[in-house]
Amino acid sequence: MAGRGIISLFMLRPAERAMRIERQFRVSTTVASAPNETTGAKIIDGRAVAKKMRADQRVQVDALKAAGVVPGLAVVLVGDDPASALYVSNKIKACEAVGITSFTHRRPATIGNEELLDLIQTLNADESVHGILVQLPLPKHIDMARVLETIAPEKDVDGFHLYNVGALVVGRQIFPPCTPYGVMNLLKYEGIPVEGRNVVVVGASNIVGKPMALMLMAQDATVAICHAKTRDLGQWTILADILVVAAGVPNLIVPQMVKSGVVVIDVGINRLPNGKVVGDVDFEGVRKKASYITPVPGGVGPMTITMLIDNTILSAERHAQSMRAAQPGA
């Protein structure tokens, strides 16, 4: 009989199956309290969390300066893509707001691989630079993997170097990738437990999805990763205590795909034809069932830059420690 029940469940259409599974799991323990029937989920304000963290970061930078170390971030921008230029501008403003010195290196889209690699090697050797960020995407003729691997691991504040990725796999974070790091800090700030929870990550990119899963597993979560080839996505998302969505598809996640009380972290950023910016989650629909949810914009986005600042400060602190260790009598 039990086997027959399972077979009949999977003969249902995906939407019907998702609803059936939700009914079965309503009695399970969720991460947080059920949503308020009147107001819905608590909205996780990424801007407010980032503002608090940046105030603390300013104190850290002041302490470093008092010790003779001025944190420096070098940003390399290739080409004239307006979106990339805006992202770089926002990163520079955020760094300067906490006292980090920024160095912007703009190069034309026609730059060759070797010339770009030479620039990175120069920045690797510059002791005033503690972090190097190469703004992506790069022109098609540029070997992106080679560029990222040329950045010194101790200055790879984006966390994309193979050394840092490997360290993440074995649970030894050197510089965690900024967006997943921001998500983990949002969960921590809200007091949302991760240990022992069922977490579903939708999206398997090297920048967000894969490192996100690794960070969650390091905190003893049970993690499933879904991607573009996943069949019947709803049968996976309905099981999630925590759902992290980074697929780049507007309104991919709708209410019938989540269970009541779920924590929803929307990493997606999509611009609709009418100019409106939305995430990957049907915000108004899902918030009625969730216990916590991040908005787009104003959720994960502000945390990404904040974590970039955090990694740059960490690099500068390591540099200060090495300077002290090199002093006579240390």
Side-chain angles (χ1 to χ4, degrees), residues 28-43:
S28 68
T29 302
T30 56
V31 172
S33 59
N36 185 297
E37 293 182 358
T38 303
T39 60
K42 177 182 179 182
I43 296 175

Side-chain angles (χ1 to χ4, degrees), residues 65-323:
K65 289 181 176 179
V69 176
V70 179
L73 174 68
V75 181
V76 179
L77 176 61
V78 180
D80 53 5
D81 178 69
S84 292
L86 179 60
Y87 292 148
V88 167
S89 176
N90 289 339
K91 290 170 183 176
I92 291 172
K93 289 178 182 176
C95 286
E96 292 176 347
V98 300
I100 292 176
T101 299
S102 59
F103 309 94
T104 305
H105 297 268
R106 295 177 180 269
R107 294 294 185 271
T110 55
I111 190 173
N113 276 281
E114 296 306 320
E115 186 180 351
L116 183 56
L117 295 176
D118 287 344
L119 171 60
I120 294 172
Q121 292 286 18
T122 299
L123 297 174
N124 284 341
D126 188 341
E127 291 196 357
S128 68
V129 173
H130 303 101
I132 301 172
L133 182 153
V134 177
Q135 182 63 42
L136 303 178
L138 292 168
K140 292 182 179 180
H141 70 278
I142 297 293
D143 187 342
M144 183 182 70
R146 191 177 173 199
V147 168
L148 296 179
E149 290 167 20
T150 301
I151 299 172
E154 65 271 17
K155 295 188 179 185
D156 173 40
V157 290
D158 251 345
F160 294 159
H161 191 284
L162 288 177
Y163 180 88
N164 286 322
V165 174
L168 187 61
V169 170
V170 298
R172 294 179 59 189
Q173 295 185 29
I174 308 301
F175 291 115
C178 299
T179 298
Y181 190 23
V183 171
M184 296 303 293
N185 273 275
L186 284 178
L187 294 172
K188 180 180 179 181
Y189 183 86
E190 293 292 344
I192 297 169
V194 172
E195 181 180 344
R197 304 301 178 180
N198 293 330
V199 184
V200 175
V201 179
V202 181
S205 71
N206 292 332
I207 296 174
V208 180
K210 292 175 184 176
M212 184 81 260
L214 290 168
M215 289 184 189
L216 289 162
M217 285 192 292
Q219 297 294 320
D220 295 320
T222 301
V223 182
I225 303 179
C226 300
H227 46 75
K229 302 296 184 182
T230 299
R231 293 178 294 174
D232 297 342
L233 180 62
Q235 78 176 33
W236 296 93
T237 58
I238 199 73
L239 303 177
D241 297 319
I242 302 173
L243 178 63
V244 182
V245 192
V249 180
N251 297 319
L252 175 65
I253 304 299
V254 292
Q256 60 265 35
M257 297 172 69
V258 302
K259 67 178 181 180
S260 295
V262 65
V263 174
V264 179
I265 307 294
D266 192 349
V267 185
I269 301 178
N270 311 284
R271 188 175 295 276
L272 301 180
N274 62 7
K276 183 180 180 181
V277 175
V278 300
D280 292 351
V281 176
D282 172 10
F283 181 79
E284 292 301 330
V286 172
R287 69 182 293 190
K288 297 173 184 176
K289 296 182 71 175
S291 55
Y292 292 83
I293 191 170
T294 58
V296 177
V300 176
M303 294 297 293
T304 298
I305 296 179
T306 303
M307 296 303 100
L308 173 67
I309 294 171
D310 211 59
N311 281 346
T312 304
I313 293 171
L314 177 59
S315 180
E317 288 175 340
R318 289 171 178 162
H319 180 69
Q321 290 172 359
S322 66
M323 287 176 57

